[in-house]
Amino acid sequence: MMAELADCVDLLEAVTDPKRKEDREDVKDLEEDVGELLKASGLVLKKEGVAVQKLDQDVLKALKDGLVGVIVTGSQHKSYCAGLDLSAAKTTLLTPQAGSEMAALMVSTLTRFMRLPIISIAAIEKAAIGGGAEMTTFCDHRCITDQAKIQFVQTQMGVVTGWGGASRLLNLVSRSQALRLLGSAEPIRGGQEALKLGFAQAVSPVGKAVEGASEYMQQYVWERVPEAGQQGGDAGARRCVEAVKAMKRIVSFGLDYERIERVSELEKDLFKGLWGGPDNLARVEAASAPKKKK
């Protein structure tokens, strides 16, 4: 999943880079890259609200010239991201070296995603735990349901955030709330609490997080929200895509990325020192042990 996410960011950088040449070879490469991602990952393309079933020149041109936003969500209305597979981690990832490489990949991928000149919304249905909680913080907005549960469980596992989640959380909630959520592993439960904290911007019914995120995205797509039953150009004037992208660039430039990156580097170094250590190994072993039936 981490590798596929990095591939998706590569693609998004390619289609939003104003310096990218628009020659025939470039379009062919784009078609191949998008085709592979559509087959191999959870990437879904939509044009005017309708899922794209076939890649053609119009779709590729719309992707290069008309892309406004991205919605990040989980699979089939299940967890947004339930965190690390502990059974797999015990055999492949629980070493300081593996932890360092994993953290480096994710810090780079999520930081690059944040800098994209497009609007991003996390559509959070249910659980976002550990690394999954960190992955709620790299989007511009969050739309969550009342069954959502966001929990930074790293201290319970004997580690710290390793993907830059703490530094990004500090830009979303107050310092004291960030410390509480990170240090005590107390979860954010449901939409109303998330709204109150300033963590989320929209709440949706259970099973409708993507629809809620899509509705929230409309403010960046149309000058007025499309009325029920209307689609495409009939719904009203479309916003200037380049102007929306330019505004996102300004807001991104206004973020103190130097500070975020410094804190993320600190997170990564502290994570590397704790990941695969005695406390972490013991917590993972206990958490992955078969539960006794009552």
Side-chain angles (χ1 to χ4, degrees):
M1 184 204 71
M2 290 184 270
E4 289 174 359
L5 181 61
D7 289 342
C8 285
V9 175
D10 288 342
L11 171 67
L12 291 169
E13 285 180 332
V15 299
T16 57
D17 183 358
K19 298 178 182 177
R20 184 81 176 247
K21 294 180 181 179
E22 295 197 21
D23 53 27
R24 294 177 64 183
E25 184 178 348
D26 206 31
V27 172
K28 184 178 179 182
D29 290 343
L30 177 61
E31 184 175 6
E32 291 177 356
D33 291 344
V34 175
E36 285 299 315
L37 282 173
L38 287 173
K39 291 177 184 177
S41 74
L43 182 69
V44 176
L45 296 179
K46 288 189 176 183
K47 184 180 178 184
E48 296 185 355
V50 180
V52 172
Q53 302 296 334
K54 180 182 177 182
L55 287 177
D56 54 30
Q57 294 303 308
D58 288 341
V59 168
L60 293 172
K61 187 176 188 309
L63 185 60
K64 288 180 70 66
D65 301 334
L67 182 63
V68 176
V70 173
I71 294 171
V72 181
T73 192
S75 175
Q76 301 174 347
H77 307 304
K78 297 180 181 179
S79 296
Y80 175 79
C81 181
L84 196 63
D85 182 335
L86 297 180
S87 60
K90 287 197 296 183
T91 58
T92 59
L93 285 175
L94 279 181
T95 67
Q97 179 63 28
S100 177
E101 292 173 357
M102 176 177 64
L105 170 66
M106 290 303 290
V107 167
S108 171
T109 299
L110 301 184
T111 301
R112 287 164 51 212
F113 183 92
M114 287 180 67
R115 284 177 162 157
L116 290 169
I118 49 179
I119 308 302
S120 59
I121 304 177
I124 307 166
E125 277 288 347
K126 295 181 181 177
I129 308 296
E134 293 195 64
M135 287 183 59
T136 65
T137 64
F138 76 134
C139 291
D140 299 316
H141 304 293
R142 276 143 296 280
C143 175
I144 79 175
T145 71
D146 283 327
Q147 284 190 2
K149 175 185 175 184
I150 297 93
Q151 187 174 18
F152 296 86
V153 297
Q154 283 81 356
T155 56
Q156 293 181 346
M157 303 305 295
V159 292
V160 297
T161 50
W163 300 353
S167 56
R168 294 189 298 271
L169 185 64
L170 283 166
N171 286 298
L172 303 178
V173 301
S174 70
R175 176 181 175 276
S176 60
Q177 293 289 9
L179 181 59
R180 177 179 65 87
L181 295 171
L182 294 166
S184 72
E186 186 175 336
I188 300 173
R189 295 186 183 276
Q192 296 309 314
E193 182 180 353
L195 284 177
K196 185 177 178 180
L197 288 172
F199 180 82
Q201 288 68 50
V203 178
S204 288
V206 174
K208 299 290 185 181
V210 170
E211 288 83 349
S214 298
E215 183 178 346
Y216 194 85
M217 186 75 77
Q218 293 302 310
Q219 63 188 304
Y220 297 109
V221 181
W222 301 100
E223 290 187 7
R224 61 183 178 85
V225 177
E227 296 176 4
Q230 291 185 320
Q231 290 185 356
D234 294 335
R238 179 159 184 168
R239 292 201 182 278
C240 172
V241 174
E242 290 307 314
V244 174
K245 289 181 179 179
M247 285 297 189
K248 173 61 188 292
R249 287 183 186 276
I250 293 170
V251 172
S252 293
F253 189 80
L255 283 175
D256 189 350
Y257 276 110
E258 185 177 340
R259 181 186 66 81
I260 292 174
E261 288 175 348
R262 286 201 310 270
V263 179
S264 295
E265 285 298 315
L266 174 63
E267 287 182 62
K268 193 167 63 174
D269 290 342
L270 293 171
F271 178 82
K272 181 173 66 174
L274 293 167
W275 183 260
D279 285 339
N280 181 225
L281 291 172
R283 301 294 178 101
V284 169
E285 189 64 38
S288 59
K291 300 294 188 292
K292 293 182 179 180
K293 292 183 178 180
K294 293 183 180 180

